[in-house]
């Protein structure tokens, strides 16, 4: 039996070692603060949990007013667009490039809108969050304005990206927005229309070039990417695609293989991190919250179709990453201006990581 | 004390338990519907194209894994994830998205609702 003295001694020694370790990290500059390196998963989870519990605790005393008032939602839309959209994006519309490399990456707005109750959203907007890019809006916006923002944001998960964009083009966007969220069946019609417009406009004589070397100039580059997916688009079909059955599933028996030198997987992993892809997708090896704005990407090498419409080939995946809305106008995934080489590297990582 | 008084007394004592019983009943009903949904997912062969935890042989990878679709924001990246729209998608994906690789499988409305219940009950991996 160890004596009390031995026990106390052990505790003291361990405490001293821990304190020395902490001191080395703090004064020795051991923790890498570069935004190009991810937090270790454990650190990320610990900080994220501390953040969530702090928000929950501090917002607990706030009473949420009646947010169903249409006027609140109406006032919220322009406020959101002028103050928040730059960093948090809008349904189907990317945040400004400046927000994408931020660490932590500002969440796409639908994510907190869906996961956090209104009192927490109010608290976050009013007080901001230390050591993140989220500013306090206290003194800049009135409480009433913040509540109207919360009223609007809370309804954002209820609108499809296609209907949202249609609402923005309407003479009275806020009114159109309300009509869509209050009658979801109207949103289905919008998506049908978006798909139809694509069929009408798809040029049949698109050049069949694979994604070539980097082309300077955003427009030229995305035009090249578009040409690839247009060439690859399957004809309009009402039957399921022909997929040969195998042992346990229709596809997924063998992972797709990548041509040699297709891309640099390590650089691709970094790119997925700095473009903030993990703010919408769960990606093995890229540390982030448990989100599902888009589908998880763990099985990309085995996936049969990209976004349900494109055969999953490496060059289609590159084209999709670069210009998703050209292939599927209704998608919530925004065009983020990823360059050809970077997209290839991302594909190399996604294919390599797939189980 | 008459028999009527005793019965009345018992009723009064048991009254607070009534909502509890109703809630338990509701919970078991919900569990039964979602369990039925799980069987239907196997019957309709959804697992040929999707990974669905708990469903036998559901290891397909034509479409995305449905493990976390219950707390997903969008359906097929395009529609808000509400029970109504999720059921509509399951019934008529190609009516909504004509190019979709997911076929209209002739799922009935109640069957689609039961599948939705199962998806929402899944807690994810």
């Amino acid at each position: 039996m160890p004596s009390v003295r031995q026990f106390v001694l052990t505790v003291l020694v361990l405490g001293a070692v821990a304190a020395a370790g902490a001191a080395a990290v703090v004064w020795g500059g051991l923790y890498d603060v570069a935004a190009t390196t991810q937090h270790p998963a454990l650190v990320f989870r610990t900080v994220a949990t501390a953040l969530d519990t702090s928000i929950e605790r501090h917002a607990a005393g706030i009473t949420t007013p009646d947010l169903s008032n249409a006027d609140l939602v109406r006032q919220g839309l322009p406020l959101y667009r002028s103050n928040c959209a730059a960093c948090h994006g809008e349904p189907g519309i990317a945040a400004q490039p400046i927000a994408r490399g931020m660490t932590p990456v500002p969440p796409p707005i639908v994510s907190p809108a869906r996961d956090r109750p209104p009192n927490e959203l109010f608290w976050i907007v009013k007080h901001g969050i230390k050591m993140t890019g989220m500013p306090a809006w206290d003194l800049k916006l009135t409480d009433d304005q913040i509540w109207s923002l919360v009223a609007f944001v809370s309804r954002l998960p209820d609108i499809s990206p296609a209907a949202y964009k249609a609402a923005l083009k309407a003479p009275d966007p806020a009114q159109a927005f309300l009509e869509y969220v209050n009658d979801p069946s109207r949103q289905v019609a919008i998506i049908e229309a978006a798909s139809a417009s694509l069929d009408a406009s798809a040029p049949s004589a698109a050049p069949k070039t694979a994604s070539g070397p980097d082309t300077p100039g955003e427009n030229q580059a995305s035009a090249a990417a578009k040409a690839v997916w247009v060439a690859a688009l399957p004809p309009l079909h009402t039957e399921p695609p022909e997929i040969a059955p195998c042992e346990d599933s229709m596809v997924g028996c063998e992972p797709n293989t990548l041509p040699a030198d297709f891309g640099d997987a390590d650089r691709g992993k970094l790119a997925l991190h700095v473009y903030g892809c993990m703010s919408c997708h769960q990606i093995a090896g890229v540390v982030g919250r448990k989100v599902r704005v888009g589908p998880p990407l763990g099985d990309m090498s085995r996936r049969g179709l990209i976004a349900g419409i494109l055969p999953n080939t490496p060059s289609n995946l590159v084209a999709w990453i670069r210009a998703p809305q050209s292939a599927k106008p209704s998608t919530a995934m925004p065009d983020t201006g990823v360059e050809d080489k970077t997209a290839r590297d991302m594909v190399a990582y996604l294919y390599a990581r797939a189980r | 004390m008459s028999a009527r008084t005793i019965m009345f007394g018992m009723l009064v004592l048991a009254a607070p338990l009534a909502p509890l019983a109703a809630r338990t009943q509701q919970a078991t009903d919900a569990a039964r519907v979602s369990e039925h949904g799980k069987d239907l997912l196997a019957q309709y062969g959804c697992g040929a194209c999707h990974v669905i935890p708990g469903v036998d042989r559901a290891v397909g990878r034509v479409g995305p894994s449905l493990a976390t679709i219950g707390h997903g924001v969008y359906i097929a990246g395009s529609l808000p994830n509400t029970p109504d729209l999720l059921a509509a998608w399951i019934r008529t994906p190609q009516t909504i998205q004509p190019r979709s690789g997911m076929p209209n499988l002739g799922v009935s409305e109640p069957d689609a609702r039961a599948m939705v219940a199962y998806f929402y009950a899944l807690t994810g991996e």
Side-chain angles (χ1 to χ4, degrees), chain A:
Chain A
M1 276 291 281
S3 70
V4 175
R5 242 190 85 198
Q6 266 174 323
F7 177 75
V8 170
L9 213 66
T10 319
V11 169
L12 283 179
V13 168
L14 286 180
V17 169
V25 171
V26 174
W27 283 285
L30 291 191
Y31 196 82
D32 187 353
V33 297
T36 44
T37 28
Q38 308 183 40
H39 286 295
L42 183 68
V43 173
F44 181 89
R45 274 203 300 274
T46 309
V47 174
T49 306
L51 192 128
D52 288 346
T53 50
S54 172
I55 292 169
E56 204 180 314
R57 183 194 171 102
H58 287 90
I62 298 172
T63 338
T64 306
D66 177 16
L67 296 181
S68 61
N69 182 339
D71 282 337
L72 277 181
V73 177
R74 225 174 253 131
Q75 287 151 20
L77 184 141
L79 276 175
Y80 180 82
R81 299 205 79 210
S82 52
N83 295 304
C84 324
C87 282
H88 294 285
E90 293 163 90
I93 304 172
Q96 294 299 312
I98 197 171
R100 250 175 259 139
M102 287 171 72
T103 307
V105 57
I109 194 63
V110 288
S111 198
R114 213 184 131 108
D115 296 341
R116 294 190 193 276
N119 61 323
E120 294 188 10
L121 294 174
F122 176 89
W123 187 89
I124 293 170
V125 176
K126 180 163 171 139
H127 299 282
I129 302 174
K130 283 190 189 81
M131 303 285 269
T132 74
M134 179 64 189
W137 292 90
D138 200 7
L139 312 185
K140 302 168 202 159
L141 295 176
T142 65
D143 281 8
D144 286 347
Q145 284 176 313
I146 297 178
W147 278 121
S148 64
L149 269 173
V150 172
F152 170 71
V153 161
S154 302
R155 297 309 302 270
L156 270 176
D158 302 338
I159 195 166
S160 67
Y164 183 79
K165 287 185 207 163
L168 292 187
K169 288 203 195 104
D172 181 352
Q175 183 57 32
F177 176 86
L178 279 163
E179 282 166 16
Y180 283 124
V181 294
N182 291 331
D183 182 6
S185 65
R186 286 192 53 198
Q187 302 189 26
V188 171
I190 293 265
I191 291 181
E192 287 166 16
S195 309
S197 79
L198 181 64
D199 292 330
S201 68
S204 47
K208 278 197 194 272
T209 45
S211 40
D214 270 350
T215 351
E218 185 60 40
N219 288 336
Q220 223 180 327
S222 67
K226 264 174 212 175
V228 178
W229 73 257
V230 169
L233 269 182
L236 187 66
H237 54 75
T238 45
E239 294 294 311
E242 288 284 338
I243 298 156
C246 70
E247 186 69 358
D248 261 334
S249 64
M250 291 166 94
V251 286
C253 316
E254 291 302 325
N256 285 334
T257 45
L258 213 56
D261 300 328
F262 188 84
D264 174 347
D266 289 336
R267 189 172 177 276
K269 181 180 179 181
L270 171 65
L272 290 164
H273 169 73
V274 299
Y275 274 91
C277 306
M278 71 295 184
S279 64
C280 287
H281 298 279
Q282 285 208 279
I283 311 169
V286 182
V287 177
R289 282 175 177 271
K290 278 211 162 70
V291 284
R292 199 195 199 277
V293 181
L297 303 181
D299 61 353
M300 264 339 280
S301 83
R302 287 164 187 269
R303 185 77 68 72
L305 293 173
I306 301 161
I309 50 167
L310 294 171
N312 182 12
T313 64
S315 59
N316 272 351
L317 194 48
V318 168
W320 170 263
I321 290 173
R322 303 192 61 194
Q325 298 194 349
S326 308
K328 191 173 177 179
S330 65
T331 186
M333 176 157 159
D335 295 346
T336 44
V338 180
E339 293 201 343
D340 184 72
K341 167 157 176 29
T342 306
R344 284 165 161 268
D345 294 343
M346 289 174 173
V347 171
Y349 179 75
L350 291 174
Y351 272 30
R353 261 323 275 251
R355 286 151 289 164

